[in-house]
Amino acid sequence: MHTGVRDWAVRIAAVIAAVMLGYLVALALAPQLREHAPAPLQWFGEPGSVPTIALVVAVLVLLGVLLVRTQGVRRPGAPVAIVAGLALISTALGLASYWDCHDDEHPRFFRPLMFTAYVVKGGTGDQSLGGQTCPSPTPVALEIARLSALAAIFLSVVGVAAALFKSRSDRLRVHLARSVTAVVDVDDDTLSMVSAIARTMDSRSTLVLITTSLDHPCVPEARNHGARVIAVDFDLPETLRALSVWRKLDRLYLLSPDPSSNLLRLKVIADRLDEVSRKQRLPLIVRIDDPWQAEAWRAMHFGGSDTRWAADAVGKYEVTARRLLDRIISTDGVGRILICGTSPLTLALCSNMAQRQLERNYYAAADAKPLPRLVLVAANAAEYEQDFALSRRRLGLSARSMRVEAVTETASVPLLASLLADDHVDGTAVVFVDRDSATASSVDTTTGTRLAARFPTTPIYAWDATARVTEDRLSLVGKLRTYRLSMDLPDGQAQDAWERAARLIHDRYAAEAGHRSAASRPWAELDEFYRGSNRRQVRNALWMVEQIGGHTWNAWNATAEDADTPNLRGLPPLDQLRLLGFERDKAIAMARAEHEDWCRYYRAAGWRYGPQRDDARKIHDKLVDWARIEADPDLLKAALASLAATLSKLRELGYRSRPARNKQGWKYFRRIGDVVAEQRDSSWTWTTGSGETMRAEAGDWAVRDIDGGDWWSVRDDIFRATYQHIEGDRWQRHGIVTARPAEDGETVATLEGPARAAAGDWVVQGEQGEQWVVPSEQFTRRYDGPLTESPVGVGFSSQH
């Protein structure tokens, strides 16, 4: 249920509850009112009326549930507001019920108040006055008052018990969770990210904070955001490795301020995931505050042999730079930004602006203004300008994509005043970066204030270590605002590059489509199913390009040739893909993998095939097997065009793949021979020749050679695509694979878990990029080749 709908539901339920309770109060004070009600409603409020009690209780329970869901309260125990509300209801109904219980010896107000206090503290017995039960008959209001009081007491006890056993409760909730978003380590800087993560993660996922101490000051606030907290000893990696959350992991954040600790913990977690999970391209965010270290790590880990992660880095300088530039561009609308002083924030501001320029070149709204240009003002500004240009080249980006200017003088008031007096500039903003006492180029801390006094209409942003992070900072002098370094991300902003890429790709598609369908609505209004489809498309591109296309996303130290984007406009899809570095066989294999992954996503959401697309009924005319796509020239061309469009869009956004240097030595082989196979209904394990235990899921096929030997597993969709049924339990291998000699001792990430290769073994790769290890004597029986040339028009097929 959407937030707006829940808010209206709360209001409606609250009004109904208030009307019903108000009516019961009135009946308790004047029972004769019920006789004046419409005949069909006279049963409501009748003494001893069970339907009345059941209806009121149901409405109150519904209101409580809606309040909890609307407020996002996930912590154990009942919210204080609900307990207080129940106590207030009990008091009002009890006081009204006992209002006439007084005589000459018992004062009018205080005797009903004492009787009411007895009810509120949980009493359920009748009261007597002058030897007579009072009130008589017992009004329904009093019965509900007693139930409300008991509910308040019960919820209070549950809340206290939950508070005492939070740790056990959290572990139980994590154990029962279907999927987990894990945050490893948190401090004051990153606590705000926990809130952002809680707002943006999948509603079906459970947020888990893994920390070293439950007494950490950040823990209560994290729990307020719905996090389940688990304590481990980071000095003992085995305690981190032993957690059960890794089987259900969907997203991982490593937020220690020490990047080395984050990478060590990543290795522990990755090793464990190799044993318990098959998932690929899990979103990973690693905190690396230094912007250049973050940029280098991000570039190297976008690709590579580890396909477990869709990795990105985040740091306080990069986040602060994004927040500052968001404010300057959206609010101040200037044409130039003077960055005064040098620090890591200087580099982060330059890098963020360069990325914005790439994204602006890809897609910008019709009314979007050009981005402001950057001017570095510091004694060593020229060094920073040269270093920035170098970083662009190392990422394979053209230095012309975004240039910065350098003024190699200390940012003094007279110098800045002369720059601001330039009549040719369409508005200027000034940013004073954080002060580094070890740097000679540090700027006098009073410069911002003095400059603001001279130029009251110029937006000036000055670093202040004590400033609070808020969207609206009040200025005391002119338009001077202070800021501090923090990890606070503006609401609704993506926390990783691939999420931003998915959003930008959708924004351009939606603008071109004119927002005419449910799939082309603006991102903020888009259904989560279509958002997930955009994310799936981008993440699947990561996997396909590396595992099928033989490329890497590692852009670090790319050459100038890698930076150039070929002109693909008007070319046939296969020619476009060839210019992007993918020959026909790889292109078709990638298109097939993308189509099959798209089909799996849609079918899992309940979509089915139909000749006419109907989004409301979840019918799509392209939900067909790949064989039908490949047999229809128009459908095949459309599939290849979609693949080329995705890869070219990523390239425009700065995410460039290039041929992997370590892909040499792969050759084509034809799969031969018969096997015995059976599909198993439950998960099971098997052992490789080198002794590793592999894990197969329910529905996988158990396969062995026709002449006997050990069993191995094949995933159902791969099995059906690469084995042809003969009779009974006999099947025949068919299709093409690529293979290379293994390196002695290398570890290969297979679908079933990590496998270690020995000298003489072969590493085989299937059509969907999956790899496995085959001993030498088995390889010669199962594969024929190598083929003298690559099979044209045939996507190479998979497995064992």
Side-chain angles (χ1 to χ4, degrees):
M1 186 183 295
H2 296 294
T3 302
V5 176
R6 283 200 296 263
D7 289 342
W8 275 106
V10 167
R11 294 189 185 101
I12 293 171
V15 169
I16 294 174
V19 170
M20 295 172 68
L21 294 173
Y23 181 64
L24 293 179
V25 167
L27 286 183
L29 294 171
Q32 66 273 14
L33 290 177
R34 190 169 57 83
E35 299 174 1
H36 300 288
L41 298 178
Q42 288 187 1
W43 62 270
F44 186 80
E46 182 180 3
S49 172
V50 174
T52 299
I53 296 173
L55 181 59
V56 174
V57 169
V59 171
L60 292 177
V61 170
L62 175 62
L63 178 59
V65 171
L66 290 173
L67 281 171
V68 170
R69 290 178 62 85
T70 300
Q71 297 172 2
V73 180
R74 301 182 183 180
R75 59 184 181 274
V80 175
I82 293 180
V83 174
L86 290 170
L88 183 62
I89 290 171
S90 180
T91 301
L93 295 177
L95 195 60
S97 300
Y98 287 121
W99 189 250
D100 289 332
C101 293
H102 60 86
D103 55 23
D104 294 338
E105 298 179 2
H106 301 90
R108 170 181 288 274
F109 175 74
F110 292 101
R111 177 54 55 178
L113 182 63
M114 294 177 65
F115 286 167
T116 301
Y118 174 76
V119 172
V120 172
K121 71 178 185 179
T124 57
D126 291 331
Q127 301 290 343
S128 63
L129 192 69
Q132 303 255 342
T133 299
C134 185
S136 181
T138 302
V140 172
L142 184 56
E143 300 288 359
I144 295 175
R146 291 167 176 167
L147 289 174
S148 297
L150 291 174
I153 294 170
F154 174 76
L155 291 176
S156 298
V157 171
V158 170
V160 171
L164 293 175
F165 297 98
K166 280 181 181 177
S167 178
R168 295 290 183 184
S169 173
D170 283 353
R171 286 184 176 269
L172 178 61
R173 293 292 295 271
V174 172
H175 178 74
L176 297 175
R178 290 183 296 176
S179 66
V180 163
T181 296
V183 177
V184 181
D185 210 355
V186 70
D187 61 7
D188 292 336
D189 284 334
T190 52
L191 182 59
S192 61
M193 277 198 67
V194 176
S195 173
I197 294 166
R199 290 194 304 269
T200 57
M201 72 180 194
D202 192 314
S203 60
R204 295 168 295 181
S205 186
T206 298
L207 179 60
V208 179
L209 171 61
I210 302 171
T211 183
T212 189
S213 172
L214 295 177
D215 297 326
H216 194 288
C218 296
V219 167
E221 185 64 23
R223 280 201 169 103
N224 288 342
H225 293 304
R228 307 297 172 189
V229 184
I230 297 177
V232 299
D233 186 349
F234 287 137
D235 292 330
L236 298 175
E238 189 57 36
T239 61
L240 181 65
R241 175 188 175 88
L243 294 177
S244 61
V245 300
W246 311 127
R247 295 180 181 273
K248 310 168 186 178
L249 185 68
D250 278 339
R251 187 180 289 263
L252 177 63
Y253 295 82
L254 299 169
L255 300 183
S256 169
D258 177 17
S260 296
S261 296
N262 288 329
L263 299 183
L264 288 172
R265 292 164 191 169
L266 176 61
K267 184 178 186 308
V268 172
I269 296 168
D271 289 345
R272 180 57 176 160
L273 283 172
D274 285 340
E275 300 174 0
V276 301
S277 176
R278 291 182 176 182
K279 293 181 180 178
Q280 297 287 306
R281 286 301 175 193
L282 292 170
L284 165 68
I285 308 294
V286 177
R287 178 180 176 181
I288 303 176
D289 283 340
D290 185 287
W292 269 27
Q293 291 182 19
E295 192 169 79
W297 185 89
R298 183 187 294 118
M300 289 186 287
H301 287 79
F302 269 171
S305 60
D306 184 2
T307 59
R308 173 72 65 186
W309 309 107
D312 199 2
V314 68
K316 63 182 180 181
Y317 290 103
E318 290 185 330
V319 172
T320 302
R322 191 193 312 182
R323 193 173 65 249
L324 284 172
L325 291 177
D326 278 344
R327 178 61 185 259
I328 293 171
I329 293 171
S330 63
T331 305
D332 302 322
V334 298
R336 180 179 66 171
I337 302 175
L338 303 180
I339 302 175
C340 303
T342 52
S343 82
L345 182 58
T346 306
L347 298 172
L349 287 165
C350 293
S351 295
N352 188 272
M353 186 63 81
Q355 184 61 36
R356 287 171 187 265
Q357 188 62 60
L358 281 172
E359 295 175 356
R360 180 67 63 92
N361 293 341
Y362 174 77
Y363 169 72
D367 58 350
K369 295 182 179 179
L371 292 173
R373 56 192 177 91
L374 299 185
V375 180
L376 306 185
V377 184
N380 56 347
E383 298 177 19
Y384 274 67
E385 187 273 332
Q386 293 167 6
D387 289 341
F388 170 72
L390 175 63
S391 74
R392 296 293 91 194
R393 290 195 296 271
R394 285 197 169 177
L395 289 173
L397 301 174
S398 171
R400 300 186 300 273
S401 61
M402 208 281 294
R403 298 181 63 89
V404 298
E405 301 173 27
V407 177
T408 55
E409 297 182 49
T410 301
S412 62
V413 172
L415 173 64
L416 296 174
S418 67
L419 292 173
L420 290 173
D422 185 351
D423 294 334
H424 302 291
V425 177
D426 183 18
T428 298
V430 182
V431 177
F432 292 94
V433 301
D434 54 309
R435 181 180 175 86
D436 182 357
S437 59
T439 304
S441 61
S442 296
V443 179
D444 184 347
T445 55
T446 67
T447 304
T449 303
R450 293 160 58 203
L451 196 67
R454 296 190 185 195
F455 299 90
T457 61
T458 298
I460 300 174
Y461 296 83
W463 170 75
D464 181 354
T466 63
R468 295 187 61 186
V469 179
T470 60
E471 286 297 315
D472 296 314
R473 299 287 299 165
L474 297 178
S475 55
L476 298 179
V477 180
K479 296 182 71 175
L480 172 66
R481 297 180 179 88
T482 57
Y483 70 91
R484 71 175 175 87
L485 302 174
S486 79
M487 302 282 285
D488 281 26
L489 283 168
D491 288 350
Q493 287 210 5
Q495 296 164 25
D496 62 78
W498 301 112
E499 177 84 1
R500 293 196 301 276
R503 182 170 184 166
L504 280 165
I505 290 173
H506 171 78
D507 286 345
R508 190 166 87 172
Y509 159 75
E512 293 171 351
H515 308 293
R516 289 191 296 267
S517 68
S520 60
R521 290 175 180 170
W523 186 269
E525 304 171 14
L526 195 63
D527 185 270
E528 185 59 30
F529 169 77
Y530 293 110
R531 290 186 188 180
S533 181
N534 282 280
R535 298 183 188 111
R536 179 212 62 79
Q537 182 182 29
V538 171
R539 291 173 187 162
N540 197 48
L542 300 181
W543 176 84
M544 291 188 306
V545 165
E546 291 180 335
Q547 296 300 303
I548 300 177
H551 278 214
T552 177
W553 292 100
N554 182 353
W556 195 244
N557 284 330
T559 64
E561 290 76 14
D562 293 326
D564 295 332
T565 299
N567 183 7
L568 308 179
R569 189 179 301 276
L571 295 177
L574 279 174
D575 290 340
Q576 294 182 30
L577 290 164
R578 179 179 55 78
L579 289 174
L580 291 172
F582 306 101
E583 297 300 330
R584 177 186 174 86
D585 57 327
K586 298 291 182 67
I588 292 179
M590 291 165 64
R592 173 177 180 174
E594 165 60 18
H595 176 77
E596 291 176 344
D597 191 70
W598 176 82
C599 287
R600 281 193 292 270
Y601 180 83
Y602 268 69
R603 285 168 180 157
W607 287 64
R608 64 186 188 279
Y609 169 76
Q612 294 293 330
R613 179 171 176 173
D614 186 340
D615 288 4
R617 297 170 58 197
K618 293 187 175 182
I619 295 175
H620 205 295
D621 57 334
K622 292 183 180 178
L623 273 174
V624 296
D625 293 338
W626 176 252
R628 181 169 173 182
I629 297 289
E630 199 167 21
D632 187 322
D634 291 335
L635 292 178
L636 179 60
K637 182 178 180 180
L640 291 167
S642 176
L643 173 65
T646 299
L647 299 182
S648 62
K649 288 172 183 176
L650 287 172
R651 192 175 183 88
E652 288 180 58
L653 287 169
Y655 308 122
R656 292 165 165 79
S657 71
R658 54 178 177 162
R661 303 293 187 259
N662 61 354
K663 287 294 183 179
Q664 303 299 324
W666 291 92
K667 297 181 179 179
Y668 290 97
F669 292 82
R670 191 177 307 280
R671 307 172 77 252
I672 58 173
D674 296 350
V675 299
V676 174
E678 60 184 38
Q679 190 173 25
R680 298 188 178 179
D681 297 329
S682 58
S683 59
W684 51 288
T685 60
W686 53 279
T687 304
T688 68
S690 54
E692 290 91 354
T693 299
M694 301 286 105
R695 180 168 170 265
E697 301 292 342
D700 289 354
W701 287 76
V703 183
R704 65 173 175 82
D705 289 322
I706 194 69
D707 54 355
D710 296 328
W711 295 90
W712 66 87
S713 66
V714 183
R715 201 172 68 191
D716 179 56
D717 59 325
I718 295 175
F719 180 86
R720 296 185 183 279
T722 58
Y723 288 81
Q724 183 175 353
H725 188 232
I726 302 175
E727 61 179 0
D729 59 0
R730 288 190 60 185
W731 297 73
Q732 184 180 55
R733 296 187 184 92
H734 70 89
I736 306 296
V737 298
T738 56
R740 63 168 173 83
E743 298 178 9
D744 188 15
E746 76 168 295
T747 299
V748 177
T750 75
L751 293 177
E752 298 82 11
R756 189 174 66 255
D761 290 351
W762 286 76
V763 178
V764 185
Q765 179 172 285
E767 177 186 53
Q768 298 190 32
E770 71 281 6
Q771 296 183 2
W772 61 96
V773 178
V774 180
S776 177
E777 68 279 3
Q778 297 178 10
F779 185 83
T780 56
R781 296 200 310 268
R782 299 176 185 175
Y783 304 98
D784 181 37
L787 305 181
T788 56
E789 57 183 13
S790 91
V792 177
V794 179
F796 56 89
S797 295
S798 51
Q799 158 117 315
H800 311 323

